[in-house]
Amino acid sequence: MVRTILVLAGLLAATPALAQIPPAPATMPEHGDTKPVDYANPGNWACRPGVDDGTCSANLDAVKVATDGTRTPAPHIVAKEPPIDCFYVYPTASQDKTMFSDLALDEAEKRSIHGQAARLTARCRLFVPIYHQFTMAALAWTTHQTGPAPDFGVPYRDVLAAWKSYLAHDNHGRGVVLVGHSQGAIILKQLIAEQIDGKPAQKLLVAAYLAGNPDLNAKSFHDVKPCAAPDQTGCVIAWSSYLDSYDGPRVFGATPSGAPPLCVNPAAIGGGRGALETYLTKPSFAPSNDPPYVELAGQLTAQCVADAQGAVLRVHIEPGPAAGLLGVVMQRYSPAPGWGEHPLDISLVQGNMINLIASQTGAWLARK
């Protein structure tokens, strides 16, 4: 019990870089250099087979902590010959002061890639293109000022080029999982709609995981349906996370078009409530020989809930000795009023995603 409380208290110091939207800059950031990217150049990928500066191969081992404080090792095991690929687009993280980022990853971008995508190597070969993303400074400007909406045209152009390069040179008929969060999910939504939905590339789609997209609804795609079973493939899983104790206005989980918002629970793909397998960075005070991550087991559950505002993944803190403190930890991760647990959208269900990808891979291979 005491160990659990200490672990959760330490997580307050482990808030990721995306947890707060920075103050808006005084002027609109400059656009920066946004020349088209050549993805035949391995240097324009953060991670891919044969390319990794440590961002995707750094230690991902965890200690699994149960509600009673029991600790067990949870090592990360990289698949030796994974049968599928994962194509991941990272969220808004760049600390560059321009409208669009350069192609030199800063530490915040690397943390996002490592924390959200590197664990996918347990199931697939990982491809992560570097792209001219809409930066945190630009997000702050559009969030706090009356100005233009975020321009995702340049980021989409880059990711589209990376996708086409991947298909032409690396895919060779392999199944692929698409994973994106926030800006990454917005870009992948457009990619699926224009390049995959109802097109030959759809036969390659094992599944798409689109987390934290503010404008994803049940009519976003025609042939790519919401996933409803562990053996369903070529489908989409989407969610935005909010504590079930929060009842204020929400940025995510509603659509301006009025179409029903899409929420599919990675922890209960067929519907209902599921136990979350959550990974967070270890507390700063943890013993030096502890692994870098903590896996929370049994402390959180979630289900997709529809209401007058839309539909979101409602996260419930299960009763226990550390429930109150865990609630404080979760609230600390909310970047701004109405954003819920946006920075944690993938971390909260990461273990569930890994398990679900395994079952979807088996089903895709069997049908192939």
Side-chain angles (χ1 to χ4, degrees):
M1 180 187 304
V2 173
R3 286 179 179 175
T4 300
I5 292 174
L6 287 175
V7 166
L8 296 176
L11 291 175
L12 288 170
T15 306
L18 284 180
Q20 297 296 326
I21 298 175
T27 59
M28 180 71 78
E30 296 294 329
H31 273 67
D33 182 3
T34 57
K35 296 178 181 177
V37 183
D38 177 13
Y39 288 101
N41 179 359
N44 290 327
W45 295 82
C47 309
R48 55 167 294 137
V51 175
D52 181 17
D53 64 358
T55 300
C56 290
S57 60
N59 190 357
L60 284 161
D61 291 345
V63 58
K64 189 173 183 177
V65 182
T67 53
D68 63 358
T70 303
R71 292 160 47 97
T72 55
H76 174 68
I77 301 174
V78 176
K80 291 183 178 180
E81 295 183 2
I84 64 161
D85 297 336
C86 288
F87 186 94
Y88 164 78
V89 184
Y90 48 93
T92 309
S94 173
Q95 300 297 312
D96 294 346
K97 302 306 180 184
T98 50
M99 178 75 76
F100 299 105
S101 68
D102 57 27
L103 298 181
L105 293 175
D106 58 35
E107 289 305 312
E109 290 169 301
K110 290 181 179 181
R111 282 195 297 270
S112 293
I113 295 168
H114 179 70
Q116 291 192 345
R119 203 171 295 278
L120 296 171
T121 57
R123 297 286 180 255
C124 53
R125 297 193 309 173
L126 182 59
F127 291 80
V128 183
I130 303 172
Y131 68 104
H132 292 107
Q133 77 161 204
F134 197 72
T135 64
M136 290 292 285
L139 175 64
W141 176 267
T142 58
T143 299
H144 295 295
Q145 304 286 338
T146 301
D151 177 8
F152 296 112
V154 169
Y156 177 71
R157 178 206 65 193
D158 288 354
V159 173
L160 174 59
W163 171 250
K164 289 183 176 180
S165 178
Y166 160 75
L167 287 181
H169 304 293
D170 300 291
N171 178 264
H172 304 301
R174 293 166 60 91
V176 59
V177 173
L178 300 180
V179 180
H181 179 233
S182 195
Q183 180 171 176
I186 292 170
I187 294 169
L188 285 180
K189 172 195 169 186
Q190 184 176 353
L191 182 77
I192 293 169
E194 296 181 0
Q195 301 293 319
I196 297 174
D197 191 28
K199 295 178 172 61
Q202 187 173 339
K203 67 182 180 181
L204 304 174
L205 184 65
V206 177
Y209 290 76
L210 307 181
N213 184 337
D215 187 22
L216 186 66
N217 61 65
K219 297 182 179 180
S220 293
F221 312 121
H222 183 267
D223 292 315
V224 176
K225 304 298 184 182
C227 297
D231 62 351
Q232 183 180 354
T233 61
C235 53
V236 61
I237 299 166
W239 70 98
S240 295
S241 311
Y242 285 81
L243 285 174
D244 60 1
S245 59
Y246 176 78
D247 60 1
R250 301 194 302 256
V251 173
F252 303 95
T255 52
S257 64
L262 184 61
C263 183
V264 179
N265 184 0
I269 195 68
R273 180 176 298 278
L276 304 188
E277 297 184 28
T278 300
Y279 287 91
L280 299 174
T281 52
K282 75 174 181 180
S284 59
F285 63 80
S288 59
N289 61 346
D290 261 16
Y293 285 88
V294 173
E295 180 185 357
L296 300 182
Q299 287 95 324
L300 301 169
T301 60
Q303 64 179 335
C304 286
V305 176
D307 57 23
Q309 290 193 59
V312 295
L313 187 66
R314 286 290 198 177
V315 179
H316 179 70
I317 300 171
E318 292 297 317
L325 186 55
L326 183 54
V328 174
V329 172
M330 296 288 290
Q331 291 174 11
R332 177 71 176 271
Y333 279 97
S334 185
W339 284 59
E341 308 310 307
H342 185 67
L344 291 179
D345 279 328
I346 285 183
S347 298
L348 285 168
V349 299
Q350 196 169 50
N352 306 97
M353 287 176 57
I354 298 298
N355 294 336
L356 189 53
I357 288 171
S359 62
Q360 290 172 320
T361 298
W364 186 88
L365 291 171
R367 288 169 185 149
K368 180 183 178 183

